[in-house]
Amino acid sequence: MDNVVDQQAAQSEKQQAEQERRQVLLTKILTHEARERLSRVALVKPEKAFEVESILLQMAGSGRISEKIDEEKLKAYLNQVGADAKPTKITIQRKRQGVDDDDDDEDDLLKDL
C-alpha cells in the first residue's frame, strides 16, 4: 500500500516539476500581456491553452521564435488552434407536457351548454 502512495507522490511531483518548467519557458518567450491572456484562456478552455502552450514551446525548442511573442501574435495562434476545432453545436430539446391545444378547452365548454 505504501508503494502505491509513494508512486502517486512521485508522479505528482514529476507533473508539478514539468508544469513549473513549462511556466519558466513560457515566461521567457511571452510578453507579460500575452501570458495574462493565455492564463485567462486557460480558465475557460484549458485544453486549448495547453495546446497553444505546447506549440509555442515546440517552436521555441526548435529555434523558430526569435523574439518575445506579444498579445497580437498569441491571438493569431489561438485563432489557428480554434479554427482547427469542430464548432460546438447546441441542440435544445424541450419536454412536452402532453399535446394540449387551446381550441380543445373552448370546445369542451360549448358542449356543456
Side-chain angles (χ1 to χ4, degrees):
M1 186 73 172
D2 288 336
N3 192 20
V4 173
V5 173
D6 290 341
Q7 286 178 348
Q8 288 175 345
Q11 182 71 16
S12 176
E13 287 178 23
K14 186 176 179 181
Q15 287 175 345
Q16 187 175 1
E18 175 66 20
Q19 185 63 25
E20 288 176 15
R21 184 186 70 79
R22 288 175 69 93
Q23 291 306 315
V24 167
L25 291 173
L26 287 171
T27 301
K28 291 180 181 179
I29 62 174
L30 295 174
T31 64
H32 180 70
E33 293 81 13
R35 280 195 326 259
E36 284 181 358
R37 178 172 288 274
L38 191 58
S39 67
R40 287 191 303 267
V41 169
L43 292 174
V44 180
K45 296 185 177 182
E47 59 281 339
K48 185 174 184 175
F50 185 80
E51 188 173 346
V52 170
E53 286 176 1
S54 297
I55 290 169
L56 293 173
L57 292 173
Q58 186 178 28
M59 289 173 62
S62 64
R64 292 188 289 171
I65 296 178
S66 59
E67 58 186 29
K68 282 195 169 195
I69 294 175
D70 63 357
E71 190 173 6
E72 293 303 316
K73 288 180 185 175
L74 180 66
K75 284 181 190 179
Y77 287 118
L78 288 168
N79 287 334
Q80 284 177 349
V81 170
D84 295 342
K86 187 170 75 171
T88 303
K89 181 179 178 183
I90 299 174
T91 304
I92 299 174
Q93 293 181 343
R94 293 188 170 87
K95 291 184 178 180
R96 300 188 79 169
Q97 300 272 341
V99 180
D100 190 25
D101 267 347
D102 290 336
D103 293 339
D104 291 342
D105 293 337
E106 292 171 3
D107 291 341
D108 292 341
L109 289 174
L110 292 176
K111 286 183 184 177
D112 292 338
L113 293 177

